Amino acid sequence: MNYKIQGSTLSCCVLLAASSSVSLASQTDSGYQQPPQEVIDIVDAAPAPNASVAPGGEYMLIQHLPALPSLTDLATPEYRLAGRRINPANNSISQARYAERLEILTIDSGERVEITGLPDDARVLDSSWSPNAEHLALLNMADEQVELYHVDASSGEASRWSDVQVNAVWGANVHWNRSSDAVYTMAVTPERGDEPAASPVPSGPVITESRGRTAPARTYQDLLANSHDEALFDHYFSSRIARISLDDDVKYLGDEAIYNDLALSPDSNYLLVTELQRPYSYSVPHFRFARRSDVWNLDGERIYQVVDQALADNLPISFDAVVPERRSISWRNDAPATLVWAQALDSGNPNEETDYRDAVYQLSAPFEDDPEQLIQLRNRFAGIHAGDDENAIISERWWASREERVWHLSPNHPENPKMLWERSWQDRYSDPGEPVMRRNEFGRSVLRIEDGHLLMIGDGASDQGDRPFIDRFSLQDSSSERLWRSEAPYYEMPRALLDAASMTFLTQREAVDQPADFYKRSLTNDSLVALTETEHPMPHTLGISRELIHYEREDGLAMSATLFLPDGYDAERDGPLPTIIWAYPREYRSNADAAQVSGSPYEFNRISYWRPQFLATQGYAVMDNATMPIVGEGDALPNDTFIDQLIMNSEAAIQAGVERGVTDPERVALGGHSYGAFMTANVLAHSDLFQAGIARSGAYNRTLTPFGFQREERTVWDDPALYQTMSPFFSAHQIKTPLLLIHGQNDNNSGTFPMQSERLFQAVKGLGGTTRLVMLPLESHGYRARESVLHMLWETIEWLDEFVKQAED
């Protein structure tokens, strides 16, 4: 079977091996271990709350998140079907993240009201404001179902809204109508029976075949495997579309089917509904399944078929490949009921020679005319921002070249589109930002346009770090006027425009020793008013320093890292420290883009337990987010020199720490997660730069991902030497540096099967290397349970203390 109900066994599975001279060979760990208390306190620190502003800007919902869940929370039932992991007990996403406490803040007065009436153990999956901002719809995840709650925004009182059981296997999907008196959602069919039982006797062999039709697929997890999986998929993913009014009147629309998306038209007269169809596939996930998208009237009758898409199991491997049918279907937010979609002009195949790749079309109710073409694009359609009948912004992108082009056009007269900019989307320094939106008469977000200008909010990336900005952008000549920019010693990001007349924005502002809080900032009178006041979640880390450092690798490429140093450390007095470098390789098509700095030196210094920053409490220098660029310019592709560039990057990072007097070059470790783990194993296999390595949830044998990996589009048959060279598994005999491997037993990430770590461990062990494998029960690609995280940190500290901190002894 390709599904699994997780058991209740909570013991920690640890496999280890080492050369005979290493003391770990005789170690017999049992159960979960914990790191020192100062690290535990970092793990248990309260997460930063989330917030959402109501339409009109009068209220803001503040959502308080819990600390890490326990293993008991993770040990709930889980089915893995068609690339999705669900909890069959309550028809929700498996291991869903949620809020446990909510408040409504009145922005003008600063008054905060706790939302009452929810269960004591509330687990709120999602919240949705009504267009008139008088109501909130909440989804609460109970043990046996996902419940819909209504909240009165003025009082904060919540109450159960209907007994409809929401089907949340696709996540939250609740849509208010224009008049704010009803919502539409996907519901479990009231008369649904018990799940189909698996027969202990097979009905026959599982057969798949191919008759010469090219159908490459990347290495996916959690696929359907047999007829019982298909039956379970039908059972749990089937829904009815339900309309639920404020007076608790429930109306079911259409028949039961596997609906995976629905969207209400701006005028609330139509529904856009997408339904998955058979035949299913055992080789690709649900997002490649056959599907049809239809427009329904409010009686649930299909009045227009937008697309009937075939099973998409034969797309080229290229990231620029798409289905040949209509795709990216949505409503135009500025019109009552106008559909917009893209369709490939090259059959979806990027290898086909053509001047234009995509066309974008629109069609208005009653959907009886021929679709109207808005624009032809040289690249792939990447999105639309609607404004009004005379203004829309359409963007296009091409992965292979990293090209982005953005157009301004009139939906009523689309004959002469104007290009606003053309750039590399990896060039963060030239990013003009995202347009500020407003609410229109339908309650939808549309472009805010004043005198032919947009307001743009951007990250403000620069060689000194990110400095968010607000610009006034001309649609006529693409010129920009800077209205405001975040200034040192703060990092301040605009989140929403609250009042256009006074140019008042909601911003989130923080400093190195000050957690992020929400503010009202008026550009007109240059005022700043605090709305929230957050205590430092981990005051015991205040003495840890953070610095954005810059350096170059031997070919002159500029690089950077964030350097963390222990509380009270002085380089002249205390001398060089054992050091951990943590990185994640990224591919670029130009040196200029690769050299750019990300992040800000003024962001709140919240010490992370997921990244290695916590090691500063243990006497280590930490070089976090060390840039690891892999560049291929011109005809060269990035991975052609992957190993060589990894080594250059590593040498440059070590030298940067040595030159600052903080790093002892004889006591340095390298680590990373996922592709960073792959990087770590490769560097250890091809150099002796480091004294230890930590590789979490990686993939190490690329022949097991033969149709591409990460951003590599060549297959193993295109270039078998590349796949072998880039696979540290084939160089396991060269891994003599101690390597700690950690992996979640239930990893759900494409390509990073737990087997990858198990096989590399067996290879290094069998070849006499020093290695340790830690398999974390119940954990996926990222580790969530408090017990798992604390044990991971204990393993990390123990490994580094033995092989790095004490290396000179």
Side-chain angles (χ1 to χ4, degrees):
M1 298 297 176
N2 197 51
Y3 68 96
K4 179 181 180 182
I5 300 180
Q6 293 182 342
S8 59
T9 301
L10 302 184
S11 62
C12 178
C13 175
V14 181
L15 301 176
L16 60 93
S19 61
S20 58
S21 62
V22 178
S23 62
L24 282 177
S26 60
Q27 185 172 330
T28 56
D29 304 323
S30 62
Y32 288 88
Q33 306 296 319
Q34 292 192 349
Q37 188 60 47
E38 60 268 23
V39 178
I40 296 176
D41 291 341
I42 291 173
V43 172
D44 290 340
N50 293 333
S52 66
V53 178
E58 181 180 0
Y59 300 115
M60 182 169 72
L61 177 68
I62 301 174
Q63 304 172 66
H64 297 275
L65 311 177
L68 291 175
S70 70
L71 277 168
T72 302
D73 295 322
L74 266 62
T76 54
E78 180 179 84
Y79 283 4
R80 306 172 190 177
L81 302 165
R84 298 288 292 183
R85 294 189 174 187
I86 67 166
N87 182 344
N90 59 14
N91 264 83
S92 70
I93 296 173
S94 177
Q95 300 183 21
R97 287 165 171 78
Y98 55 85
E100 62 180 0
R101 186 169 66 86
L102 301 99
E103 296 176 287
I104 295 177
L105 181 145
T106 303
I107 291 177
D108 281 345
S109 66
E111 179 185 3
R112 296 166 74 147
V113 175
E114 186 99 8
I115 291 181
T116 59
L118 294 171
D120 292 337
D121 59 348
R123 294 176 289 175
V124 179
L125 294 176
D126 187 61
S127 59
S128 177
W129 286 102
S130 64
N132 65 8
E134 295 179 4
H135 314 279
L136 269 168
L138 303 180
L139 292 182
N140 179 61
M141 184 175 64
D143 290 339
E144 296 181 353
Q145 63 179 312
V146 174
E147 307 163 334
L148 181 66
Y149 274 78
H150 168 267
V151 179
D152 180 274
S154 60
S155 67
E157 295 178 0
S159 58
R160 179 74 187 273
W161 184 3
S162 133
D163 58 359
V164 166
Q165 180 180 351
V166 175
N167 193 339
V169 291
W170 300 110
N173 209 325
V174 176
H175 303 267
W176 284 95
N177 66 359
R178 181 185 179 185
S179 56
S180 299
D181 61 8
V183 294
Y184 291 80
T185 191
M186 291 185 286
V188 174
T189 304
E191 59 273 13
R192 185 180 77 177
D194 296 334
E195 72 170 47
S199 171
V201 179
S203 60
V206 176
I207 300 173
T208 57
E209 70 173 5
S210 177
R211 298 291 184 96
R213 174 174 170 267
T214 302
R218 291 192 171 239
T219 310
Y220 299 111
Q221 306 232 42
D222 303 336
L223 301 178
L224 298 178
N226 50 48
S227 59
H228 184 241
D229 280 3
E230 293 189 52
L232 288 171
F233 185 71
D234 285 338
H235 181 81
Y236 284 104
F237 286 77
S238 292
S239 302
R240 295 284 302 278
I241 307 300
R243 180 190 186 275
I244 308 168
S245 67
L246 285 178
D247 58 9
D248 205 14
D249 177 55
V250 178
K251 178 181 180 181
Y252 288 99
L253 309 177
D255 298 324
E256 182 183 48
I258 300 183
Y259 305 113
N260 82 324
D261 198 17
L262 71 117
L264 192 61
S265 63
D267 65 4
S268 296
N269 290 330
Y270 303 95
L271 281 165
L272 175 63
V273 179
T274 299
E275 173 188 342
L276 301 188
Q277 297 181 308
R278 288 177 176 267
Y280 303 143
S281 172
Y282 293 2
S283 59
V284 294
H286 65 87
F287 52 80
R288 295 279 193 91
F289 285 6
R291 65 193 59 224
R292 60 176 289 170
S293 295
D294 298 289
V295 175
W296 292 8
N297 63 22
L298 297 188
D299 290 324
E301 299 168 335
R302 292 179 170 89
I303 62 172
Y304 179 70
Q305 183 180 100
V306 187
V307 68
D308 189 357
Q309 177 192 307
L311 174 67
D313 64 346
N314 63 337
L315 297 185
I317 291 299
S318 170
F319 292 106
D320 294 312
V322 295
V323 296
E325 299 94 342
R326 297 175 180 180
R327 69 180 201 281
S328 301
I329 306 159
S330 66
W331 297 108
R332 225 181 80 194
N333 276 354
D334 65 304
T338 297
L339 293 167
V340 179
W341 67 81
Q343 189 162 7
L345 299 174
D346 59 2
S347 302
N349 185 354
N351 297 318
E352 184 175 308
E353 294 294 331
T354 181
D355 291 334
Y356 295 96
R357 296 290 178 182
D358 271 357
V360 183
Y361 299 89
Q362 65 178 3
L363 179 64
S364 299
F367 315 107
E368 296 172 350
D369 297 330
D370 292 332
E372 178 185 15
Q373 182 175 283
L374 287 174
I375 192 172
Q376 289 189 342
L377 302 173
R378 191 169 71 191
N379 302 313
R380 292 289 180 227
F381 172 70
I384 180 171
H385 289 295
D388 52 41
D389 287 342
E390 298 301 324
N391 295 280
I393 293 176
I394 291 178
S395 58
E396 57 175 297
R397 284 188 169 188
W398 194 250
W399 163 258
S401 65
R402 312 307 199 260
E403 180 182 63
E404 175 186 76
R405 304 168 92 205
V406 176
W407 299 87
H408 173 233
L409 55 79
S410 164
N412 273 3
H413 307 284
E415 300 83 12
N416 298 301
K418 174 183 172 56
M419 189 165 67
L420 296 179
W421 64 77
E422 182 177 15
R423 55 185 289 272
S424 164
W425 51 261
Q426 285 189 318
D427 180 6
R428 299 184 69 246
Y429 291 0
S430 69
D431 188 351
E434 290 291 320
V436 172
M437 312 297 279
R438 66 174 179 87
R439 295 276 182 171
N440 64 5
E441 66 270 28
F442 303 117
R444 301 299 179 92
S445 293
V446 296
L447 295 169
R448 181 191 179 278
I449 303 172
E450 184 177 335
D451 298 329
H453 289 77
L454 302 173
L455 288 176
M456 306 287 285
I457 294 175
D459 292 332
S462 71
D463 57 4
Q464 297 303 308
D466 292 353
R467 295 182 61 189
F469 64 79
I470 301 171
D471 280 359
R472 191 167 184 260
F473 181 89
S474 171
L475 292 172
Q476 181 62 34
D477 60 12
S478 296
S479 62
S480 288
E481 174 191 2
R482 183 130 301 169
L483 304 180
W484 175 86
R485 188 182 189 188
S486 180
E487 297 291 342
Y490 298 100
Y491 173 81
E492 187 172 357
M493 173 58 77
R495 298 299 182 188
L497 177 63
L498 297 177
D499 182 72
S502 63
M503 288 291 283
T504 300
F505 287 82
L506 176 73
T507 71
Q508 203 167 8
R509 187 182 196 227
E510 59 194 90
V512 171
D513 59 355
Q514 178 181 316
D517 275 305
F518 290 98
Y519 289 79
K520 283 193 304 181
R521 175 177 286 280
S522 171
L523 304 191
T524 302
N525 57 27
D526 195 29
S527 65
L528 185 68
V529 178
L531 297 175
T532 60
E533 186 175 351
T534 303
E535 294 183 359
H536 198 297
M538 47 184 80
H540 68 291
T541 67
L542 277 167
I544 296 175
S545 66
R546 184 187 69 192
E547 178 187 1
L548 181 63
I549 64 173
H550 304 270
Y551 50 96
E552 292 184 355
R553 72 183 191 187
E554 65 178 31
D555 62 357
L557 182 66
M559 301 174 67
S560 64
T562 303
L563 176 64
F564 295 82
L565 295 172
D567 185 2
Y569 171 74
D570 181 271
E572 291 187 6
R573 182 192 66 212
D574 301 323
L577 296 173
T579 300
I580 173 77
I581 296 172
W582 197 265
Y584 189 95
R586 299 188 186 279
E587 302 91 339
Y588 296 89
R589 296 296 287 155
S590 78
N591 282 319
D593 291 350
Q596 294 184 354
V597 176
S598 63
S600 168
Y602 305 116
E603 289 178 293
F604 174 54
N605 192 18
R606 183 187 178 102
I607 301 302
S608 171
Y609 63 80
W610 184 247
R611 306 184 68 85
Q613 299 164 13
F614 70 93
L615 287 166
T617 67
Q618 304 302 302
Y620 289 84
V622 178
M623 293 180 66
D624 189 25
N625 197 28
T627 52
M628 192 64 62
I630 308 297
V631 186
E633 292 191 305
D635 293 333
L637 295 177
N639 284 341
D640 291 346
T641 54
F642 181 78
I643 302 297
D644 292 340
Q645 293 193 64
L646 286 184
I647 302 303
M648 276 198 297
N649 295 337
S650 300
E651 290 172 337
I654 294 171
Q655 187 60 29
V658 171
E659 290 178 353
R660 281 163 177 76
V662 302
T663 294
D664 178 352
E666 301 302 320
R667 294 190 295 163
V668 187
L670 179 66
H673 188 87
S674 193
Y675 208 54
F678 173 68
M679 166 206 73
T680 299
N682 261 310
V683 173
L684 267 55
H686 296 283
S687 77
D688 57 1
L689 295 171
F690 297 95
Q691 281 62 56
I694 299 173
R696 298 192 327 223
S697 298
Y700 310 103
N701 183 350
R702 286 308 175 187
T703 67
L704 299 179
T705 55
F707 285 105
F709 56 89
Q710 197 69 2
R711 295 304 177 186
E712 177 57 60
E713 296 183 324
R714 290 167 288 187
T715 72
V716 69
W717 298 276
D718 294 329
D719 197 336
L722 174 77
Y723 273 66
Q724 181 166 339
T725 300
M726 289 184 65
S727 296
F729 177 81
F730 291 106
S731 299
H733 60 293
Q734 299 174 181
I735 299 178
K736 302 304 180 184
T737 302
L739 175 61
L740 173 63
L741 295 162
I742 304 176
H743 214 120
Q745 283 187 343
N746 298 339
D747 195 324
N748 61 340
N749 187 53
S750 176
T752 55
F753 292 92
M755 176 182 66
Q756 290 272 5
S757 288
E758 293 167 350
R759 293 295 181 265
L760 183 61
F761 168 79
Q762 292 292 343
V764 176
K765 168 183 175 290
L767 292 163
T770 299
T771 186
R772 178 176 173 93
L773 174 64
V774 180
M775 302 298 293
L776 298 172
L778 308 181
E779 296 292 353
S780 295
H781 194 59
Y783 321 140
R784 293 200 60 217
R786 182 176 184 270
E787 294 91 334
S788 301
V789 169
L790 292 178
H791 187 89
M792 173 193 75
L793 302 179
W794 178 83
E795 292 279 359
T796 300
I797 292 170
E798 291 291 309
W799 193 258
L800 294 179
D801 280 356
E802 177 170 3
F803 294 109
V804 179
K805 183 181 284 187
Q806 301 171 27
E808 64 181 2
D809 294 338

